Amino acid sequence: MKISILCVGKIKEKYWNDAIKEYMKRLTRYCKPEIIEVADEKTPDNAPESVETMIRDKEGEKLLKHIDPKAKVVALAIKGRKVDSPGFAKWIDDYAISGCSHIQFVIGGSLGLSDEVLKRADGQISFSDMTFPHQMMRVVLLEQVYRSYKILSGEPYHK
């Protein structure tokens, strides 16, 4: 299975990059992980909603260019479906059993995802009702994908 994370913006902080590298390394035992970054758009302070929508749309266009038409696309969205870790693992396994060989998770920038990206997604998932920095969500998503493979393999993992 190929697992791609499409995301807006680059990670500048060493501690986030170190965590991402660690989970990417761990995941290679179970799948083919990759991260695809697209450039974020500058958001002016106190931007009106119309400007924020335009920024989300521009970032969305960049993300959509990297969507594999054969992949299952899952958007991380605050209004998405909430699952626990075993449920997330089952969900990944269900995709694999159905013949899916590529899952693309999409993480938006600081303003979230465009309507077009959300429409293109085959599903939406939410890790919480809280808002998290997109840099942190990469790490959380990678950790949960790794945890899923440990669960599916029947291997122990800290709780």
Side-chain angles (χ1 to χ4, degrees):
M1 170 84 70
K2 183 175 182 180
I3 302 284
S4 301
I5 299 176
L6 281 62
C7 42
V8 175
K10 294 210 175 286
I11 304 284
K12 297 175 183 100
E13 299 85 1
K14 182 181 181 325
Y15 54 92
W16 291 131
N17 277 315
D18 289 347
I20 289 165
K21 286 177 190 171
E22 178 62 28
Y23 282 110
M24 292 291 283
K25 182 177 81 173
R26 290 181 187 192
L27 278 169
T28 58
R29 180 173 171 215
Y30 303 99
C31 64
K32 296 175 191 165
E34 74 172 342
I35 294 178
I36 299 169
E37 296 176 332
V38 301
D40 57 344
E41 296 290 320
K42 299 287 183 222
T43 305
D45 291 338
N46 302 315
E49 180 59 34
S50 59
V51 171
E52 290 187 354
T53 299
M54 187 174 61
I55 290 168
R56 273 193 301 275
D57 290 345
K58 284 182 182 179
E59 291 174 346
E61 288 171 17
K62 294 175 194 177
L63 289 166
L64 289 168
K65 288 178 183 175
H66 294 281
I67 298 289
D68 176 350
K70 296 178 184 173
K72 290 291 184 183
V73 178
V74 180
L76 272 65
I78 202 159
K79 293 180 182 177
R81 185 174 136 209
K82 290 179 185 66
V83 294
D84 59 10
S85 294
F88 187 62
K90 181 181 181 327
W91 180 80
I92 288 175
D93 195 40
D94 287 348
Y95 270 150
I97 290 169
S98 72
C100 172
S101 62
H102 189 188
I103 300 174
Q104 290 184 304
F105 292 98
V106 186
I107 302 173
S110 60
L111 299 175
L113 291 167
S114 71
D115 289 342
E116 289 305 310
V117 171
L118 294 172
K119 285 178 196 165
R120 170 56 187 88
D122 297 299
Q124 295 180 27
I125 194 160
S126 172
F127 283 88
S128 174
D129 288 334
M130 296 180 186
T131 302
F132 295 101
H134 57 97
Q135 302 92 326
M136 182 184 290
M137 279 316 302
R138 285 193 213 182
V139 176
V140 171
L141 175 59
L142 285 166
E143 190 281 334
Q144 284 298 303
V145 171
Y146 174 69
R147 183 180 295 270
S148 294
Y149 279 107
K150 296 290 276 187
I151 290 168
L152 295 171
S153 299
E155 299 171 14
Y157 191 64
H158 65 279
K159 296 180 180 183

